[in-house]
Amino acid sequence: MESAHYFSATPAGPFTRKPLTVELAGETRRLQTSSGIFSPDGIDKGTAVLLAEVPAPSPTGNLLDIGCGWGPIALTMALKAPHAHVYAVDVNERCIALTGENAAALGLSNVSASTPEAVDPEVRFDTIWSNPPIRIGKDELHSLLKLWLPRLAPGGTAYLVVQKNLGSDSLQRWLAAELDGSFTVTRESTSKSFRILKVRKASLTPQ
């Protein structure tokens, strides 16, 4: 499939739901997926690395999944942090619908799936997890990250999984140069062909 297809707001072809069985947060989950979205047949390798490697999200507050697809990251956050509110954003209307439906199927009332524009710009996030859409191109990727990462709450942390051969190291350098001095950008871990980058917003009071 052309990658541009699942980055469009309205993918071509019929929106036909089909069953998907995956393991999320240590249990088998029966969900729905569709064509015209990212990784429709299961959890892609990058997302699997992210979910396996990162520490638990903040147990309360606001959490964010940038580019939610059918919802593996957002749903995992919601399962692990039932008292937090999870925002799942995507430009693809099918992804928004599927994430909302999958959250409902799991009984998760703490997930809001929407377009980026629908999220109140005043909301700040305690945890951000993302497998960012590298293939949209560098300019659009940078715009996306500049939109969301500055909205980390004080003491908040973002984890981004990026393939090494798709520019994880150069992205780390760019983030370190682009974000202001209240942020630190480090490499959290390397697994298989992926790196996990950690972006932390300084706390208001010294730790």
Side-chain angles (χ1 to χ4, degrees), residues 1 30 34 39 41 74-76 116 122 129 145 156 174 181 194 207:
M1 181 192 298
R30 288 171 176 80
S34 169
S39 192
D41 299 321
L75 298 174
T76 300
E122 297 303 313
W129 288 357
L145 296 177
W174 177 83
F194 295 89
Q207 294 283 312

Side-chain angles (χ1 to χ4, degrees), residues 30-114:
R30 288 171 176 80
L31 307 172
Q32 293 190 101
T33 184
S34 169
S35 62
I37 67 170
F38 176 66
S39 192
D41 299 321
I43 300 173
D44 67 285
K45 292 178 181 178
T47 295
V49 167
L50 180 80
L51 295 178
E53 295 279 332
V54 296
S58 173
T60 58
N62 298 313
L63 317 180
L64 175 66
D65 171 14
I66 306 168
C68 61
W70 54 261
I73 292 174
L75 298 174
T76 300
M77 292 177 113
L79 289 163
K80 288 178 174 285
H83 300 295
H85 189 93
V86 180
Y87 291 81
V89 297
D90 208 295
V91 298
N92 185 320
E93 62 185 22
R94 292 187 191 179
C95 295
I96 296 167
L98 288 166
T99 296
E101 291 166 13
N102 287 333
L106 296 179
L108 298 171
S109 60
N110 59 331
V111 177
S112 297
S114 71

